[in-house]
Coordinates of all heavy atoms in Angstrom, one line a residue:
M140 N -19.1 36.1 4.2 CA -18.6 35.5 2.9 C -19.5 36.1 1.8 O -20.7 36.2 1.8 CB -18.8 34.0 3.0 CG -18.5 33.4 1.6 SD -18.3 31.6 1.7 CE -19.9 31.1 2.1
T141 N -18.8 36.6 0.8 CA -19.4 37.1 -0.4 C -19.4 36.0 -1.5 O -18.4 35.5 -1.8 CB -18.7 38.4 -1.0 OG1 -18.6 39.3 0.1 CG2 -19.4 39.0 -2.1
I142 N -20.6 35.8 -2.1 CA -20.7 34.9 -3.1 C -20.9 35.6 -4.4 O -21.7 36.5 -4.4 CB -21.9 33.9 -2.9 CG1 -21.6 33.1 -1.6 CG2 -22.1 32.9 -4.1 CD1 -22.8 32.2 -1.2
F143 N -20.3 35.2 -5.4 CA -20.4 35.9 -6.7 C -20.7 34.9 -7.9 O -20.5 33.7 -7.8 CB -19.1 36.6 -7.1 CG -17.8 35.7 -7.0 CD1 -17.5 34.9 -8.1 CD2 -17.0 35.7 -5.9 CE1 -16.4 34.0 -8.1 CE2 -16.0 34.9 -5.9 CZ -15.6 34.0 -7.0
F144 N -21.2 35.4 -8.9 CA -21.5 34.6 -10.1 C -20.2 34.5 -11.0 O -19.6 35.5 -11.3 CB -22.6 35.1 -11.0 CG -23.1 34.1 -11.9 CD1 -24.0 33.1 -11.6 CD2 -22.6 34.2 -13.3 CE1 -24.5 32.3 -12.5 CE2 -23.1 33.3 -14.2 CZ -24.0 32.3 -13.8
P145 N -19.6 33.3 -11.2 CA -18.3 33.2 -11.8 C -18.3 33.5 -13.3 O -19.3 33.4 -14.0 CB -18.0 31.7 -11.6 CG -19.3 31.0 -11.6 CD -20.3 32.0 -11.0
D146 N -17.1 34.0 -13.8 CA -16.8 34.2 -15.2 C -16.5 32.9 -15.8 O -16.8 32.6 -17.0 CB -15.7 35.2 -15.4 CG -16.0 36.6 -14.9 OD1 -17.2 37.0 -15.1 OD2 -15.1 37.2 -14.5
Y147 N -15.8 32.0 -15.1 CA -15.5 30.7 -15.6 C -15.1 29.7 -14.4 O -15.0 30.2 -13.3 CB -14.3 30.7 -16.6 CG -13.0 31.2 -16.0 CD1 -12.1 30.3 -15.5 CD2 -12.7 32.5 -16.0 CE1 -10.8 30.7 -15.1 CE2 -11.5 33.0 -15.5 CZ -10.5 32.1 -15.0 OH -9.3 32.5 -14.5
I148 N -15.0 28.5 -14.7 CA -14.7 27.3 -13.7 C -13.5 26.7 -14.2 O -13.3 26.4 -15.4 CB -15.9 26.4 -13.7 CG1 -17.1 27.1 -13.2 CG2 -15.5 25.2 -12.8 CD1 -18.4 26.2 -13.2
T149 N -12.6 26.3 -13.3 CA -11.5 25.5 -13.6 C -11.1 24.6 -12.5 O -11.6 24.6 -11.4 CB -10.3 26.4 -14.0 OG1 -9.2 25.7 -14.5 CG2 -9.7 27.1 -12.7
V150 N -10.3 23.6 -12.9 CA -9.9 22.6 -11.8 C -8.3 22.8 -11.7 O -7.6 22.9 -12.7 CB -10.1 21.2 -12.3 CG1 -9.5 20.1 -11.4 CG2 -11.6 21.0 -12.4
F151 N -7.8 22.7 -10.4 CA -6.4 22.8 -10.1 C -6.0 21.6 -9.3 O -6.8 21.1 -8.6 CB -6.1 24.0 -9.2 CG -6.1 25.3 -9.9 CD1 -7.2 26.1 -10.2 CD2 -4.9 25.8 -10.4 CE1 -7.2 27.3 -10.9 CE2 -4.9 27.1 -11.1 CZ -6.0 27.8 -11.2
S152 N -4.7 21.2 -9.4 CA -4.3 20.3 -8.5 C -3.5 21.0 -7.3 O -2.9 22.0 -7.6 CB -3.2 19.4 -9.2 OG -2.1 20.0 -9.7
A153 N -3.6 20.5 -6.1 CA -3.0 21.1 -5.0 C -2.6 20.1 -4.0 O -3.2 19.1 -3.8 CB -4.1 22.1 -4.3
S154 N -1.5 20.4 -3.3 CA -1.0 19.5 -2.3 C -1.3 20.2 -0.9 O -1.0 21.3 -0.7 CB 0.5 19.4 -2.5 OG 1.1 18.6 -1.5
F155 N -1.9 19.4 -0.1 CA -2.2 19.9 1.3 C -1.5 19.1 2.4 O -1.4 17.9 2.2 CB -3.7 19.7 1.6 CG -4.7 20.5 0.7 CD1 -5.1 20.1 -0.5 CD2 -4.9 21.8 1.1 CE1 -6.0 20.9 -1.3 CE2 -5.7 22.7 0.4 CZ -6.2 22.2 -0.9
S156 N -0.9 19.7 3.3 CA -0.2 19.1 4.3 C -1.1 19.1 5.6 O -1.8 20.0 5.9 CB 1.1 19.7 4.6 OG 1.9 19.6 3.6
Q157 N -0.9 18.0 6.4 CA -1.7 17.9 7.6 C -0.8 17.5 8.7 O 0.0 16.5 8.6 CB -2.9 17.0 7.5 CG -3.7 16.7 8.6 CD -4.8 15.8 8.4 OE1 -4.9 15.2 7.3 NE2 -5.8 15.6 9.4
N158 N -0.9 18.2 9.9 CA -0.1 17.7 11.0 C -0.6 16.4 11.5 O -1.7 16.2 11.7 CB -0.3 18.8 12.1 CG 0.7 18.6 13.3 OD1 1.2 17.4 13.5 ND2 1.0 19.6 14.0
A159 N 0.3 15.5 11.7 CA 0.0 14.1 12.1 C 0.3 13.7 13.5 O 0.4 12.6 13.8 CB 0.7 13.1 11.1
D160 N 0.5 14.7 14.4 CA 0.9 14.5 15.7 C -0.1 13.6 16.5 O 0.3 12.7 17.3 CB 1.1 15.7 16.5 CG 2.3 16.5 16.2 OD1 3.3 15.8 15.6 OD2 2.4 17.7 16.5
W161 N -1.4 13.8 16.2 CA -2.4 13.0 17.0 C -3.2 12.1 16.1 O -4.2 11.6 16.6 CB -3.3 14.0 17.7 CG -2.6 14.9 18.6 CD1 -2.2 16.1 18.4 CD2 -2.1 14.5 20.0 NE1 -1.4 16.6 19.5 CE2 -1.4 15.6 20.4 CE3 -2.1 13.3 20.7 CZ2 -0.8 15.6 21.7 CZ3 -1.5 13.3 22.0 CH2 -0.9 14.4 22.4
S162 N -2.8 11.8 15.0 CA -3.6 10.9 14.1 C -3.0 9.5 14.1 O -1.9 9.2 14.8 CB -3.6 11.4 12.7 OG -2.3 11.3 12.1
S163 N -3.5 8.6 13.4 CA -3.2 7.2 13.4 C -1.9 7.0 12.6 O -1.2 5.9 12.7 CB -4.3 6.3 12.6 OG -4.4 6.8 11.4
V164 N -1.3 8.0 11.9 CA -0.1 7.9 11.3 C 1.0 8.7 12.0 O 2.1 9.0 11.4 CB -0.2 8.4 9.8 CG1 -1.1 7.5 9.0 CG2 -0.7 9.9 9.7
A165 N 0.8 9.1 13.2 CA 1.8 9.9 14.0 C 3.1 9.1 14.0 O 4.2 9.8 14.0 CB 1.3 10.1 15.3
A166 N 3.2 7.8 14.1 CA 4.5 7.2 14.1 C 5.2 7.3 12.8 O 6.4 7.0 12.8 CB 4.1 5.7 14.5
L167 N 4.6 7.6 11.7 CA 5.3 7.7 10.5 C 5.9 9.0 10.2 O 6.7 9.2 9.2 CB 4.3 7.4 9.3 CG 3.6 6.0 9.4 CD1 2.6 5.8 8.2 CD2 4.7 4.9 9.2
G168 N 5.6 10.0 11.0 CA 6.2 11.3 10.8 C 5.3 12.4 11.3 O 4.2 12.1 11.9
K169 N 5.9 13.7 11.3 CA 5.1 14.8 11.8 C 3.9 15.3 10.9 O 3.1 15.9 11.3 CB 6.0 15.9 12.2 CG 7.0 15.6 13.3 CD 6.4 15.7 14.6 CE 7.3 15.5 15.7 NZ 6.8 15.3 17.0
E170 N 4.2 15.1 9.6 CA 3.2 15.6 8.6 C 3.0 14.7 7.6 O 3.7 13.8 7.3 CB 3.8 16.9 7.9 CG 3.7 18.1 8.7 CD 4.0 19.4 7.9 OE1 4.3 19.3 6.8 OE2 3.9 20.5 8.5
R171 N 1.8 14.7 7.0 CA 1.5 13.9 5.8 C 0.9 14.9 4.7 O 0.3 15.9 5.0 CB 0.5 12.8 6.2 CG -0.9 13.3 6.6 CD -1.8 12.1 6.9 NE -3.1 12.6 7.4 CZ -4.0 11.8 7.8 NH1 -3.9 10.6 7.7 NH2 -5.2 12.3 8.2
S172 N 1.1 14.5 3.6 CA 0.7 15.4 2.4 C -0.2 14.6 1.5 O 0.0 13.3 1.3 CB 2.0 15.8 1.7 OG 1.7 16.6 0.6
N173 N -1.2 15.2 0.9 CA -2.1 14.6 0.0 C -2.3 15.5 -1.2 O -2.3 16.7 -1.0 CB -3.5 14.4 0.6 CG -3.5 13.4 1.8 OD1 -2.8 12.3 1.7 ND2 -4.1 13.8 2.9
V174 N -2.4 14.9 -2.3 CA -2.7 15.7 -3.5 C -4.2 15.6 -3.8 O -4.8 14.6 -3.8 CB -1.9 15.1 -4.7 CG1 -2.3 15.9 -6.0 CG2 -0.4 15.2 -4.5
F175 N -4.8 16.8 -3.9 CA -6.2 16.9 -4.2 C -6.4 17.7 -5.5 O -5.5 18.5 -6.0 CB -6.9 17.8 -3.1 CG -7.1 17.0 -1.8 CD1 -6.2 17.0 -0.9 CD2 -8.2 16.2 -1.7 CE1 -6.3 16.3 0.3 CE2 -8.4 15.5 -0.5 CZ -7.4 15.5 0.5
F176 N -7.6 17.5 -6.1 CA -8.0 18.3 -7.2 C -9.1 19.2 -6.7 O -10.0 18.8 -6.0 CB -8.4 17.4 -8.4 CG -7.3 16.6 -8.8 CD1 -7.2 15.2 -8.4 CD2 -6.3 17.1 -9.8 CE1 -6.1 14.4 -8.8 CE2 -5.2 16.3 -10.2 CZ -5.1 15.0 -9.7
V177 N -9.1 20.5 -7.1 CA -10.0 21.5 -6.5 C -10.7 22.1 -7.7 O -10.1 22.6 -8.6 CB -9.2 22.5 -5.7 CG1 -10.2 23.5 -5.1 CG2 -8.4 21.8 -4.7
I178 N -12.1 22.3 -7.5 CA -12.9 23.1 -8.4 C -12.8 24.5 -7.9 O -13.2 24.8 -6.7 CB -14.3 22.7 -8.6 CG1 -14.4 21.2 -9.1 CG2 -15.2 23.6 -9.4 CD1 -15.8 20.7 -9.1
K179 N -12.5 25.5 -8.8 CA -12.5 26.9 -8.4 C -13.3 27.7 -9.3 O -13.3 27.4 -10.5 CB -11.0 27.5 -8.4 CG -10.3 26.9 -7.3 CD -8.8 27.7 -7.2 CE -8.1 27.1 -6.0 NZ -6.8 28.0 -5.7
L180 N -14.1 28.5 -8.8 CA -14.9 29.6 -9.5 C -14.1 30.9 -9.5 O -13.6 31.3 -8.5 CB -16.2 29.8 -8.8 CG -17.0 28.6 -8.5 CD1 -18.3 29.1 -7.8 CD2 -17.4 27.8 -9.8
F181 N -14.0 31.4 -10.7 CA -13.3 32.7 -10.9 C -14.2 33.8 -11.4 O -14.9 33.7 -12.3 CB -12.2 32.5 -12.0 CG -10.9 31.9 -11.4 CD1 -10.9 30.5 -11.3 CD2 -9.8 32.6 -10.9 CE1 -9.8 29.9 -10.9 CE2 -8.7 32.0 -10.5 CZ -8.7 30.6 -10.4
K182 N -13.9 35.0 -10.8 CA -14.6 36.3 -11.1 C -13.5 37.3 -11.1 O -13.0 37.6 -10.0 CB -15.7 36.5 -10.2 CG -16.4 37.8 -10.5 CD -17.3 37.9 -11.7 CE -18.1 39.1 -11.8 NZ -18.8 39.2 -13.1
D183 N -13.2 37.8 -12.3 CA -12.1 38.9 -12.4 C -10.9 38.3 -11.7 O -10.4 37.2 -12.2 CB -12.6 40.2 -11.7 CG -13.7 40.8 -12.3 OD1 -14.0 40.6 -13.5 OD2 -14.6 41.4 -11.6
N184 N -10.3 38.9 -10.7 CA -9.1 38.3 -10.1 C -9.4 37.7 -8.8 O -8.5 37.4 -8.0 CB -8.1 39.5 -9.9 CG -8.5 40.6 -8.9 OD1 -9.7 40.6 -8.5 ND2 -7.6 41.4 -8.4
K185 N -10.6 37.3 -8.5 CA -11.0 36.6 -7.3 C -11.4 35.2 -7.7 O -11.9 34.9 -8.8 CB -12.1 37.3 -6.6 CG -11.8 38.7 -6.2 CD -13.0 39.3 -5.5 CE -12.5 40.6 -5.0 NZ -13.3 41.7 -5.1
H186 N -11.2 34.3 -6.7 CA -11.5 32.9 -6.8 C -12.1 32.3 -5.6 O -11.8 32.8 -4.5 CB -10.4 32.0 -7.4 CG -9.3 31.9 -6.4 ND1 -9.3 30.9 -5.4 CD2 -8.2 32.6 -6.2 CE1 -8.2 31.1 -4.6 NE2 -7.5 32.1 -5.2
F187 N -12.9 31.3 -5.7 CA -13.5 30.6 -4.6 C -13.5 29.2 -4.8 O -13.9 28.6 -5.9 CB -15.0 31.2 -4.5 CG -15.7 30.6 -3.3 CD1 -15.4 31.1 -2.1 CD2 -16.7 29.6 -3.4 CE1 -16.2 30.7 -0.9 CE2 -17.3 29.1 -2.3 CZ -17.1 29.6 -1.0
S188 N -12.9 28.4 -3.9 CA -12.8 26.9 -4.1 C -14.1 26.3 -3.5 O -14.5 26.7 -2.5 CB -11.7 26.3 -3.2 OG -10.4 26.9 -3.7
I189 N -14.7 25.4 -4.3 CA -16.1 24.8 -3.9 C -16.0 23.4 -3.6 O -16.9 22.8 -3.0 CB -17.2 25.2 -4.9 CG1 -16.8 24.6 -6.2 CG2 -17.4 26.7 -4.9 CD1 -18.0 24.6 -7.1
F190 N -15.0 22.6 -4.1 CA -15.0 21.2 -4.0 C -13.6 20.7 -4.2 O -12.9 21.2 -5.0 CB -15.9 20.5 -5.0 CG -16.0 19.1 -5.0 CD1 -16.8 18.5 -4.0 CD2 -15.3 18.3 -5.9 CE1 -16.9 17.1 -3.9 CE2 -15.4 16.9 -5.8 CZ -16.2 16.3 -4.8
K191 N -13.2 19.7 -3.4 CA -11.9 19.0 -3.6 C -12.1 17.5 -3.3 O -12.9 17.1 -2.6 CB -10.8 19.6 -2.7 CG -10.9 19.2 -1.2 CD -9.9 19.8 -0.4 CE -9.9 19.5 1.1 NZ -8.8 20.1 1.9
S192 N -11.2 16.8 -4.1 CA -11.3 15.4 -4.0 C -9.9 14.8 -4.5 O -9.1 15.6 -5.2 CB -12.4 14.7 -4.9 OG -12.2 13.3 -5.0
T193 N -9.5 13.5 -4.2 CA -8.4 13.0 -4.6 C -8.5 12.4 -6.1 O -7.6 11.9 -6.7 CB -7.9 11.9 -3.7 OG1 -8.9 10.9 -3.5 CG2 -7.4 12.5 -2.3
S194 N -9.8 12.4 -6.5 CA -10.1 11.8 -7.8 C -10.2 12.8 -8.9 O -11.2 13.5 -8.8 CB -11.3 10.9 -7.7 OG -11.7 10.5 -9.0
Y195 N -9.3 12.8 -9.8 CA -9.5 13.8 -10.9 C -10.7 13.6 -11.7 O -11.5 14.5 -12.1 CB -8.3 13.9 -11.8 CG -8.5 14.8 -13.0 CD1 -8.3 16.1 -12.9 CD2 -8.8 14.3 -14.2 CE1 -8.6 17.0 -13.9 CE2 -9.0 15.2 -15.3 CZ -8.8 16.5 -15.2 OH -9.0 17.4 -16.2
V196 N -11.1 12.4 -12.0 CA -12.3 12.0 -12.8 C -13.5 12.6 -12.1 O -14.4 13.2 -12.8 CB -12.4 10.5 -12.9 CG1 -13.7 10.1 -13.6 CG2 -11.1 9.9 -13.7
D197 N -13.6 12.4 -10.8 CA -14.8 12.9 -10.1 C -14.9 14.5 -10.2 O -16.0 15.1 -10.4 CB -14.8 12.6 -8.6 CG -15.1 11.1 -8.4 OD1 -15.6 10.4 -9.3 OD2 -14.9 10.6 -7.3
V198 N -13.8 15.1 -9.9 CA -13.7 16.6 -9.9 C -14.0 17.1 -11.4 O -14.8 18.1 -11.5 CB -12.4 17.2 -9.4 CG1 -12.2 18.6 -9.6 CG2 -12.2 16.8 -8.0
D199 N -13.5 16.5 -12.3 CA -13.6 16.9 -13.8 C -15.1 16.8 -14.1 O -15.7 17.7 -14.7 CB -12.8 16.1 -14.7 CG -13.0 16.5 -16.1 OD1 -12.6 17.7 -16.4 OD2 -13.4 15.7 -16.9
A200 N -15.8 15.7 -13.8 CA -17.2 15.4 -14.1 C -18.0 16.5 -13.4 O -19.0 17.1 -14.0 CB -17.6 14.1 -13.6
K201 N -17.8 16.8 -12.1 CA -18.6 17.8 -11.3 C -18.3 19.2 -11.9 O -19.3 20.0 -12.0 CB -18.2 17.7 -9.9 CG -18.7 16.5 -9.2 CD -18.4 16.6 -7.7 CE -18.8 15.3 -7.0 NZ -20.1 14.7 -7.3
A202 N -17.1 19.5 -12.3 CA -16.8 20.8 -13.0 C -17.6 21.1 -14.2 O -18.2 22.1 -14.5 CB -15.4 21.0 -13.1
R203 N -17.6 20.0 -15.1 CA -18.4 20.0 -16.3 C -19.9 20.2 -16.1 O -20.5 21.1 -16.8 CB -18.0 18.8 -17.2 CG -16.6 18.8 -17.7 CD -16.3 17.5 -18.5 NE -14.9 17.4 -18.8 CZ -14.3 18.2 -19.7 NH1 -15.0 18.9 -20.6 NH2 -12.9 18.0 -19.9
E204 N -20.3 19.5 -15.2 CA -21.8 19.5 -14.8 C -22.1 20.9 -14.3 O -23.2 21.5 -14.7 CB -22.2 18.5 -13.8 CG -23.7 18.3 -13.5 CD -23.9 17.2 -12.5 OE1 -23.1 16.3 -12.3 OE2 -25.0 17.3 -11.9
L205 N -21.4 21.4 -13.4 CA -21.6 22.8 -12.8 C -21.5 23.9 -14.0 O -22.2 24.8 -14.0 CB -20.6 23.1 -11.7 CG -20.8 24.4 -11.0 CD1 -22.1 24.5 -10.3 CD2 -19.7 24.5 -9.9
S206 N -20.5 23.7 -14.9 CA -20.4 24.7 -15.9 C -21.6 24.7 -16.8 O -22.0 25.7 -17.2 CB -19.1 24.2 -16.7 OG -19.1 24.9 -17.9
E207 N -22.1 23.5 -17.1 CA -23.4 23.4 -18.0 C -24.5 24.0 -17.2 O -25.3 24.8 -17.8 CB -23.6 22.0 -18.3 CG -24.7 21.8 -19.3 CD -24.9 20.3 -19.7 OE1 -23.9 19.7 -19.9 OE2 -26.1 19.9 -19.8
F208 N -24.6 23.7 -15.9 CA -25.8 24.2 -15.1 C -25.8 25.7 -15.0 O -26.8 26.4 -15.1 CB -25.8 23.6 -13.7 CG -26.8 24.0 -12.8 CD1 -28.1 23.6 -12.9 CD2 -26.5 24.9 -11.7 CE1 -29.1 24.0 -12.1 CE2 -27.5 25.3 -10.9 CZ -28.8 24.9 -11.0
L209 N -24.5 26.3 -14.8 CA -24.5 27.8 -14.6 C -24.3 28.5 -15.9 O -24.3 29.7 -16.0 CB -23.2 28.1 -13.7 CG -23.3 27.6 -12.2 CD1 -22.1 28.0 -11.6 CD2 -24.6 28.3 -11.5
N210 N -24.1 27.7 -17.0 CA -23.9 28.3 -18.3 C -22.6 29.3 -18.4 O -22.7 30.4 -18.9 CB -25.1 29.0 -18.8 CG -25.0 29.2 -20.3 OD1 -24.4 28.5 -21.1 ND2 -25.7 30.2 -20.7
V211 N -21.6 28.8 -17.8 CA -20.2 29.5 -17.8 C -19.2 28.5 -18.4 O -19.3 27.3 -18.3 CB -19.9 30.0 -16.4 CG1 -20.8 31.1 -15.9 CG2 -19.7 28.9 -15.5
P212 N -18.2 29.1 -19.0 CA -17.1 28.2 -19.5 C -16.3 27.4 -18.5 O -16.1 27.9 -17.3 CB -16.1 29.2 -20.2 CG -16.9 30.5 -20.2 CD -18.0 30.4 -19.2
Y213 N -16.0 26.2 -18.9 CA -15.1 25.3 -18.0 C -13.8 25.3 -18.8 O -13.7 24.9 -19.9 CB -15.7 23.9 -18.0 CG -14.7 22.9 -17.3 CD1 -13.9 23.2 -16.2 CD2 -14.5 21.7 -18.0 CE1 -13.1 22.3 -15.7 CE2 -13.7 20.8 -17.3 CZ -13.0 21.1 -16.2 OH -12.1 20.1 -15.7
K214 N -12.8 26.0 -18.1 CA -11.4 26.0 -18.7 C -10.5 24.9 -18.1 O -10.0 25.1 -17.0 CB -10.8 27.4 -18.5 CG -11.6 28.5 -19.1 CD -10.8 29.9 -19.0 CE -11.7 30.9 -19.7 NZ -11.0 32.2 -19.6
A215 N -10.5 23.8 -18.8 CA -9.8 22.6 -18.3 C -8.2 23.0 -18.5 O -7.9 23.5 -19.5 CB -10.2 21.4 -19.2
K216 N -7.5 22.6 -17.5 CA -6.1 22.8 -17.6 C -5.4 21.4 -17.7 O -5.9 20.5 -17.2 CB -5.6 23.4 -16.3 CG -6.1 24.9 -16.1 CD -5.3 25.5 -15.0 CE -5.7 26.9 -14.9 NZ -4.8 27.8 -15.5
A217 N -4.3 21.4 -18.4 CA -3.5 20.1 -18.5 C -2.8 19.9 -17.1 O -2.0 20.8 -16.7 CB -2.5 20.3 -19.6
L218 N -3.1 18.8 -16.6 CA -2.5 18.6 -15.2 C -1.4 17.6 -15.2 O -1.3 16.7 -16.0 CB -3.6 18.1 -14.2 CG -4.7 19.1 -14.0 CD1 -5.8 18.4 -13.1 CD2 -4.2 20.3 -13.4

């Protein structure tokens, strides 16, 4: 894995599906879907996801703190 110093940080919303065949919700269907918010670091045309949560407030706070710590811009997106 190559780690790079980012040009900027942003937060995305993403939907993740999980196979539910062997979980406690297997009776409800074959898949379940969750919406997460993800912190991504961008360098040129490459990106690296570093944190995800279902809480936008938590992700936004961590992204702002990381942006300040690394001294790189936080480009907030309207979600």
Side-chain angles (χ1 to χ4, degrees):
M140 174 170 65
T141 302
I142 299 175
F143 54 82
F144 193 83
D146 293 329
Y147 65 94
I148 297 169
T149 193
V150 172
F151 281 89
S152 63
S154 180
F155 293 92
S156 295
Q157 181 178 6
N158 188 337
D160 284 342
W161 299 102
S162 71
S163 60
V164 295
L167 299 175
K169 296 281 185 192
E170 282 191 356
R171 63 181 177 181
S172 180
N173 296 315
V174 175
F175 286 93
F176 299 97
V177 182
I178 298 175
K179 290 189 177 187
L180 307 178
F181 280 84
K182 175 73 174 178
D183 300 324
N184 64 346
K185 296 179 173 138
H186 65 84
F187 186 76
S188 299
I189 62 166
F190 181 76
K191 73 178 179 180
S192 173
T193 57
S194 170
Y195 176 76
V196 173
D197 290 344
V198 171
D199 182 62
K201 289 184 187 311
R203 290 179 189 279
E204 186 177 341
L205 184 60
S206 169
E207 187 176 317
F208 179 74
L209 295 176
N210 196 27
V211 295
Y213 170 45
K214 296 186 178 180
K216 294 195 174 262
L218 301 176

